[in-house]
Amino acid sequence: MSVPFERDHAASWYAATANDAPERAALEGEVSCDVCVVGAGFTGISAALHLAERGFSVVVLEAVRVGYGASGRNGGQIVNSYSRDMDVIEEKYGADTARALGDMAFEGNRIIRERVERYAIDCDLRDGNLFAACNASQMRGLREHQALWERYGYRELELLDGEAVKREVDSERYTGALVDHGGGHLHPLNLVLGQAAAVESLGGRIFEYSPVTGVAHGEPVVVRTAGGRVRADRVVMAGNAYLKGVLPEIEGKSMPCGTQIITTEPLDEARARALIPNGLAVEDCNYLLDYFRLTRDNRLLYGGGVNYGGSDPADIAGVIRPKMLTTFPSLEDVKVDYAWSGTFLMTLNRLPQFGVVNDNVYYAQGYSGHGVTCTHLAGRLIAEVMTGREERFDAFAGLPHLPFPGGRLLRVPLSAIGAWYYATRDRLGL
């Protein structure tokens, strides 16, 4: 696992409003367990919790702090399905694969809600997402989206025309929208912190400040850090975009990408509710999409854009604030209090990578921007495969993943060219 220079969470609104959590010690010496999990984000903590509930002894190794990476920095939207929806999956990989993945497309959402209720996690969970169309072509796409999800048994969607969408979002940008009443949004850092506490309540051990320096394959697997090592029957690699140099077998078919978020100063109640009257989380339908929502203290949280390769812009607010003002010109006088970035992992086909190396090292990564729900599904599937139920994990593991064209040298510029092409289509309404 790569070693960030930071010793704490990014300076985000999430970190500033995080629930109290202990600072956990680094690993010292040797410990043994059934399963060692590398990475304490959503994938790792979800897997650890599912495994601990099934009676496994679990050790989690985290390079910095629980939720340090994308799991503690994202937009907080509970968005169903995957970055490529079931129609694309069916076209490319066949009806059987589409049905298998479609049957799980809404499960991550349910897992999150189960966790919040079972372990009484305070994470500002609210209901409702809105997908906003910026042109007629995107509106046609939303109608098709509704029909597709309903074909897979999901009936929580409501289509809104141009006038109706203005009752949900006070902006002139949108021609219509699709509301997912079964979606939602939350404080992601508090969600992962709450689940980490649940892991420990079941006997799991979590070590922070313990970046992995190497993995010796065998039976058992030996996972090394600077201060110690873990001997485990099985290992889960859950570092996602922050996993580098530890398992080269899974690194060539994905690419780290950066996205940025700002939050405004607190708005008065009336002004905040005028922007998004029913408190939905909103994202538009552009290829390089914008997303936004209100926080519990009436700030507007606004994110957007992608930096291929994971680098950060020098002035995050300077990049994102103009996007916010395009959507809400009335906020010209409002200050930005927090600005941060995070790195997620993208695959060429935009579908997550699941698999096994040497029969006892499992991995799940590459959610391509749809990680909040799919990570929680991944944790359950990892626990299932370790208890002999393989078919659901294998449905993902069987997806073919190709390396990015041009290898490491050209994957960033070629991806940026592709993004420019699709962004141009968005602007032209194609």
Side-chain angles (χ1 to χ4, degrees):
M1 180 178 287
S2 60
V3 184
F5 292 109
E6 293 89 344
R7 294 280 297 173
D8 211 335
H9 295 101
S12 66
W13 176 81
Y14 295 134
T17 56
N19 297 331
D20 290 339
E23 185 173 7
R24 299 166 174 92
L27 176 66
E28 297 288 344
E30 181 173 299
V31 298
S32 297
C33 61
D34 296 328
V35 184
C36 177
V37 177
V38 179
F42 281 150
T43 301
I45 293 297
S46 176
L49 185 51
H50 280 290
L51 288 163
E53 288 173 334
R54 287 163 168 79
F56 287 83
S57 62
V58 180
V59 168
V60 181
L61 300 176
E62 165 57 40
V64 186
R65 302 293 305 278
V66 170
Y68 167 82
S71 299
R73 309 187 194 196
N74 61 77
Q77 300 101 320
I78 303 175
V79 179
N80 288 300
S81 193
Y82 316 107
S83 188
R84 287 290 179 266
D85 222 332
M86 278 81 74
D87 55 341
V88 176
I89 297 169
E90 184 171 346
E91 178 183 354
K92 290 188 174 183
Y93 309 114
D96 290 344
T97 297
R99 174 55 62 187
L101 270 61
D103 288 345
M104 296 182 275
F106 311 100
E107 189 170 342
N109 181 346
R110 295 194 295 270
I111 292 169
I112 290 170
R113 295 173 185 277
E114 289 167 4
R115 294 307 193 211
V116 169
E117 182 176 1
R118 179 180 299 177
Y119 296 105
I121 299 173
D122 178 11
C123 60
D124 306 337
L125 176 60
R126 303 182 189 181
D127 292 330
N129 286 340
L130 183 146
F131 305 100
C134 299
N135 53 55
S137 175
Q138 292 179 0
M139 193 62 191
R140 288 193 296 272
L142 289 179
R143 292 191 183 94
E144 294 169 358
H145 184 96
Q146 182 181 27
L148 176 67
W149 280 17
E150 288 182 350
R151 183 155 62 87
Y152 281 85
Y154 191 75
R155 308 271 176 195
E156 298 292 327
L157 302 176
E158 178 186 2
L159 201 64
L160 305 179
D161 62 19
E163 290 306 312
V165 74
K166 290 178 182 178
R167 294 196 293 270
E168 299 292 348
V169 186
D170 184 24
S171 177
E172 299 298 320
R173 290 188 66 187
Y174 308 123
T175 60
L178 186 65
V179 177
D180 181 1
H181 294 287
H185 55 100
L186 46 69
H187 190 303
L189 180 54
N190 280 338
L191 176 61
V192 71
L193 291 174
Q195 290 183 90
V199 169
E200 292 173 321
S201 75
L202 297 174
R205 291 172 287 176
I206 300 173
F207 297 95
E208 296 179 323
Y209 311 116
S210 300
V212 170
T213 58
V215 175
H217 295 280
E219 296 182 6
V221 186
V222 178
V223 183
R224 298 187 301 272
T225 72
R229 61 181 188 170
V230 180
R231 297 170 62 87
D233 296 332
R234 284 175 278 195
V235 170
V236 178
M237 304 302 293
N240 209 41
Y242 295 83
L243 186 69
K244 185 176 180 181
V246 178
L247 202 64
E249 298 95 323
I250 66 173
E251 289 184 25
K253 298 177 182 179
S254 58
M255 178 174 63
C257 298
T259 186
Q260 296 79 45
I261 299 176
I262 61 174
T263 51
T264 67
E265 63 184 328
L267 308 176
D268 66 65
E269 180 76 17
R271 191 174 191 183
R273 296 304 156 198
L275 296 177
I276 312 174
N278 292 310
L280 303 178
V282 181
E283 64 179 68
D284 66 38
C285 298
N286 288 332
Y287 183 82
L288 300 179
L289 58 85
D290 288 4
Y291 50 92
F292 52 89
R293 62 188 182 87
L294 294 171
T295 65
R296 68 186 181 203
D297 54 355
N298 287 335
R299 301 172 188 268
L300 182 69
L301 183 151
Y302 201 104
V306 174
N307 287 341
Y308 295 97
S311 60
D312 295 335
D315 180 8
I316 293 171
V319 171
I320 302 301
R321 191 170 188 272
K323 297 175 180 289
M324 179 187 76
L325 294 179
T326 299
T327 305
F328 298 115
S330 64
L331 298 183
E332 178 67 47
D333 63 323
V334 173
K335 294 186 296 183
V336 171
D337 276 356
Y338 297 92
W340 69 93
S341 64
T343 303
F344 65 93
L345 198 65
M346 184 172 71
T347 64
L348 188 62
N349 64 6
R350 306 299 194 270
L351 291 170
Q353 295 174 314
F354 288 37
V356 186
V357 177
N358 294 335
D359 295 327
N360 58 1
V361 178
Y362 298 79
Y363 61 88
Q365 63 175 29
Y367 307 100
S368 303
H370 271 59
V372 173
T373 53
C374 196
T375 50
H376 287 81
L377 173 65
R380 174 175 283 174
L381 299 190
I382 288 167
E384 286 181 359
V385 76
M386 289 190 185
T387 51
R389 183 182 176 188
E390 301 173 351
E391 63 276 9
R392 301 209 308 157
F393 182 91
D394 287 350
F396 284 96
L399 293 171
H401 288 278
L402 299 174
F404 280 83
R408 292 181 180 274
L409 182 63
L410 296 179
R411 65 182 179 178
V412 172
L414 289 177
S415 297
I417 291 170
W420 171 84
Y421 168 77
Y422 285 108
T424 300
R425 287 176 59 90
D426 287 337
R427 287 194 293 272
L428 295 175
L430 301 175

